[in-house]
Amino acid sequence: MIKKPILHLFNLSLFICCSITVNVLHAQQIFSNNKYPITDFRQPLDIAPPALAGSFGELRGNHFHSGVDFRTNQREGYPVYAVADGYISRLRVQNSGFGQALYINHPNGFTTVYGHLQRFAPKIAAIVKNLEYEKKSFEIDEFPDATLIPVHKGEVIAWSGNRGSSGGPHLHFEIRDTKTEETINPQFFGIIIPDNIPPIIHGLYVYRLNGKTFNEFTPKQAIGITGANGNYKTVAPLSLTGEVGFGLVTTDRHNGASGTNGVYSIQLEMDGKMIYTSALERFAFENSKAINSHIDYPTYLNTKRSIQKSFVDPGNPLKIYSGLVNSGKINFNDGAAHQLRYIITDAKGNASILPFTVNAGSAPIMAPIIPSGIIYPYGKMNEFNTEDIKVVFPKGTLYNDLNFVYKKLPKPAGNAWSAVHQIHNRYTPLHIGFDLWIKADQLPENLRSKALILNSNGSTQGGSYDNGFVKATPRNFGSFYIAVDTIAPRISPINIIEGKSMSGLSRMNFRISDNLSGIKSFNGYLDGKWILMEFDAKTATLWHSFDERTTSGKHTFELVVADMKDNTRRYTVHFSK
């Protein structure tokens, strides 16, 4: 949790080995009163100079980036080192996500995480493989005893890779509080990223709130700005009346092979007084989806432009904010001129400044046009019912009061067993899912176990049949209807055919896919015995690496793939080795 910040000049000793010249006029920096060890950890890679493809807290789709992504020169296979003494506290293998990951608990109370690994060190790999065979599952999530896999600072624990939901070879690295599991900016621990480049400010926006809930109808105005190299200004003073909020588009780069990364802190002050601060020191994973409240979500959906709002929705659970005055909203109603200033910093204290003047005038107040609907308060459980649907919004679902709108639309052609139910619209973000029941329209008994709920894009929301309704828990608003999945997954062999000699080949490869509900399980059997099949969801590639279990001679291999509705496909082939 971020405690009350201290505003002062950047202290170089907090981040060791930095040589940064700080401009006294520009370099106000947010610090936490939390104390972190800055000499305990070494770098997880020996690539010099270190470069990031993603920074801590960077804005991603539906979440803040939970660590830093170290570049690996667009290739796999760099040694990954334990950054300090400790023990492997978690072994994780996933179809997507981190792919292959290791977690190390350290005596100083912190846990380090290493994701998208190509392969584990031999002693760890042997333990993982034994667990997979024991559980007959490629995916595992195990928590070994503290005495099972001790590691030492500088020990090679794995090699960097591109497994899981990775967009290219890199090492994902995190430092977490072992007790709370909150993830923390690694640069607080002396993890070095060379950087003397200030953040870039791309755009300034003003929102005419005037006492109304922020939503897709809130009037927004882009403000012209100019500048570079840490110094920015508006092209003209602003004239505003009534309650407004501001928003900013800003990114950061560091020295060398830098991607476009996120900033560390955003501060807004008016007439010398701080009214808004956000600082990405640490956050809890269960609150990461609140990024959709932190940004202008409707604009992001329409343009993919991430405007970070400088005012906070009442149901936003993030603890990254401090020093708020009226939640960051400002009333310009006194007819005076006010001096405002944005201060944007990266994790090394490089700062960019955007000062601007607001003349509080007498222009007409622009009030948003609000369609008629049902008002649901953000701070409680809400429920909506008709004879065809039931919708329950648990407490904690909404970031703002909701002006709820519902429509029933005609049943679509083809695979549909209900009308389409439009549950509000996609421009309102949700923190957790809501419960949705849709009444089935003459669904035959033999298809009830195959029923699920789709959205209007054809994406499955899961679901199960119960007493005439199909129930699911969508994560976002949208339009939904009932469909059924009766089609088994598809299996496509890549390098094996009936009777083929696989001598000289290290593995057999397949692609698997499903048309609707998604892959639930895959199991391979060699001469009737379960063998390990590995899967990469982003390429839909499934494979088995031959080992001592495949002896010389003829073999029978069977692959069984099932989807979420238990439709099953079997593939059998004979080969020699």
Side-chain angles (χ1 to χ4, degrees):
M1 178 180 295
I2 297 178
K3 299 180 181 178
K4 185 176 180 181
I6 303 172
L7 304 175
H8 54 69
L9 298 181
F10 180 66
N11 183 345
L12 291 178
S13 65
L14 181 65
F15 300 104
I16 60 173
C17 301
C18 298
S19 56
I20 301 174
T21 301
V22 179
N23 185 319
V24 174
L25 296 178
H26 288 184
Q28 283 186 301
Q29 170 71 356
I30 305 300
F31 284 93
S32 167
N33 288 331
N34 293 310
K35 303 298 182 183
Y36 301 106
I38 62 171
T39 59
D40 288 7
F41 297 140
R42 58 154 286 162
Q43 302 286 114
L45 296 169
D46 273 345
I47 300 174
L52 296 185
S55 61
F56 180 85
E58 184 174 294
L59 307 181
R60 301 284 179 91
N62 281 323
H63 67 283
F64 292 96
H65 189 226
S66 58
V68 292
D69 286 346
F70 284 98
R71 289 179 177 267
T72 57
N73 297 323
Q74 298 182 335
R75 68 178 180 87
E76 302 181 39
Y78 283 94
V80 177
Y81 300 95
V83 298
D85 290 353
Y87 67 92
I88 303 293
S89 57
R90 189 177 186 183
L91 299 164
R92 194 166 193 190
V93 178
Q94 301 170 275
N95 294 333
S96 54
F98 285 159
Q100 297 192 132
L102 292 174
Y103 297 64
I104 301 177
N105 281 11
H106 303 283
N108 59 11
F110 298 96
T111 298
T112 52
V113 182
Y114 313 75
H116 307 303
L117 302 172
Q118 180 195 61
R119 65 189 192 279
F120 301 122
K123 71 175 182 180
I124 300 171
I127 292 171
V128 169
K129 193 169 186 178
N130 287 337
L131 285 167
E132 290 173 321
Y133 271 88
E134 176 186 321
K135 296 179 176 298
K136 295 185 177 180
S137 173
F138 167 61
E139 289 195 301
I140 62 168
D141 191 9
E142 295 295 313
F143 299 83
D145 183 85
T147 61
L148 183 62
I149 319 176
V151 295
H152 300 288
K153 186 174 185 176
E155 179 180 343
V156 175
I157 55 173
W159 284 265
S160 67
N162 189 32
R163 299 289 288 268
S165 302
S166 170
H170 71 278
L171 174 67
H172 177 92
F173 176 74
E174 297 179 12
I175 300 179
R176 301 183 184 180
D177 184 306
T178 301
K179 289 183 178 180
T180 68
E181 297 188 2
E182 289 181 310
T183 185
I184 308 166
N185 194 324
Q187 288 183 266
F188 275 104
F189 296 82
I191 298 298
I192 299 168
I193 307 298
D195 184 3
N196 61 7
I197 303 171
I200 302 168
I201 301 176
H202 302 276
L204 173 65
Y205 294 82
V206 59
Y207 296 87
R208 316 283 182 144
L209 300 170
N210 296 316
K212 303 294 185 182
T213 296
F214 171 81
N215 56 34
E216 70 272 20
F217 300 105
T218 302
K220 176 176 87 263
Q221 178 184 355
I223 306 300
I225 63 171
T226 62
N229 301 320
N231 297 292
Y232 296 84
K233 63 181 180 179
T234 57
V235 296
L238 311 183
S239 294
L240 300 172
T241 300
E243 184 187 58
V244 307
F246 291 96
L248 205 67
V249 179
T250 180
T251 59
D252 187 47
R253 297 182 68 85
H254 59 265
N255 299 62
S258 170
T260 299
N261 300 321
V263 302
Y264 168 65
S265 68
I266 298 175
Q267 297 172 271
L268 178 61
E269 62 182 26
M270 184 173 74
D271 299 331
K273 180 180 180 181
M274 203 63 62
I275 61 171
Y276 170 91
T277 296
S278 65
L280 285 159
E281 175 194 352
R282 60 197 287 162
F283 62 85
F285 285 92
E286 62 265 28
N287 292 334
S288 188
K289 196 184 178 187
I291 187 175
N292 295 329
S293 173
H294 178 74
I295 65 172
D296 176 348
Y297 187 66
T299 293
Y300 175 76
L301 288 186
N302 285 330
T303 68
K304 297 302 179 184
R305 189 171 178 83
S306 294
I307 304 172
Q308 299 190 58
K309 291 155 35 188
S310 301
F311 54 97
V312 182
D313 298 329
N316 183 337
L318 286 167
K319 305 300 182 184
I320 66 174
Y321 307 108
S322 61
L324 299 179
V325 177
N326 193 34
S327 299
K329 302 171 185 176
I330 308 171
N331 280 290
F332 291 110
N333 53 16
D334 59 3
H338 297 277
Q339 304 304 314
L340 285 88
R341 185 170 73 143
Y342 268 111
I343 307 161
I344 316 299
T345 60
D346 61 25
K348 281 294 179 68
N350 304 298
S352 290
I353 311 297
L354 171 60
F356 57 100
T357 299
V358 174
N359 295 313
S362 57
I365 294 176
M366 297 174 60
I369 300 172
I370 306 297
S372 60
I374 303 171
I375 303 300
Y376 288 143
Y378 75 90
K380 59 178 290 187
M381 186 271 284
N382 298 280
E383 184 173 326
F384 176 80
N385 289 281
T386 74
E387 64 178 10
D388 296 313
I389 69 160
K390 177 181 178 181
V391 184
V392 174
F393 308 119
K395 183 178 179 180
T397 302
L398 302 173
Y399 298 117
N400 274 308
D401 290 349
L402 176 66
N403 187 37
F404 180 71
V405 176
Y406 162 78
K407 291 181 182 179
K408 181 179 178 181
L409 303 172
K411 179 192 296 187
N415 181 19
W417 296 89
S418 75
V420 174
H421 299 276
Q422 182 179 315
I423 311 300
H424 202 62
N425 66 60
R426 67 191 189 101
Y427 294 113
T428 298
L430 304 176
H431 192 60
I432 58 177
F434 64 95
D435 296 323
L436 171 64
W437 290 259
I438 298 179
K439 187 176 182 179
D441 182 8
Q442 299 179 339
L443 181 63
E445 185 173 355
N446 66 309
L447 293 180
R448 291 173 183 175
S449 65
K450 306 296 184 182
L452 44 70
I453 292 178
L454 299 182
N455 67 14
S456 56
N457 295 326
S459 297
T460 181
Q461 310 297 301
S464 58
Y465 182 88
D466 182 24
N467 195 29
F469 287 77
V470 178
K471 179 184 181 293
T473 305
R475 299 275 294 174
N476 298 290
F477 285 138
S479 298
F480 306 95
Y481 64 96
I482 296 173
V484 297
D485 183 1
T486 59
I487 300 174
R490 182 179 180 184
I491 299 173
S492 301
I494 296 176
N495 69 340
I496 188 170
I497 58 174
E498 179 64 27
K500 181 176 179 178
S501 171
M502 301 296 285
S503 297
L505 297 177
S506 62
R507 68 188 204 179
M508 50 182 164
N509 302 321
F510 304 84
R511 283 197 175 89
I512 60 174
S513 59
D514 188 64
N515 72 313
L516 201 55
S517 60
I519 300 294
K520 177 182 179 181
S521 66
F522 47 82
N523 288 282
Y525 301 90
L526 184 67
D527 301 327
K529 294 183 179 181
W530 188 91
I531 59 171
L532 177 64
M533 304 296 300
E534 300 182 66
F535 185 59
D536 182 10
K538 65 176 176 286
T539 61
T541 303
L542 182 72
W543 68 92
H544 169 71
S545 297
F546 295 119
D547 58 17
E548 70 280 359
R549 293 169 178 82
T550 309
T551 57
S552 298
K554 294 182 179 181
H555 298 280
T556 300
F557 172 73
E558 183 181 31
L559 177 60
V560 183
V561 182
D563 67 17
M564 293 295 182
K565 287 300 173 180
D566 293 323
N567 302 298
T568 301
R569 181 80 65 189
R570 295 176 181 271
Y571 171 82
T572 302
V573 66
H574 301 87
F575 70 95
S576 59
K577 191 75 169 76

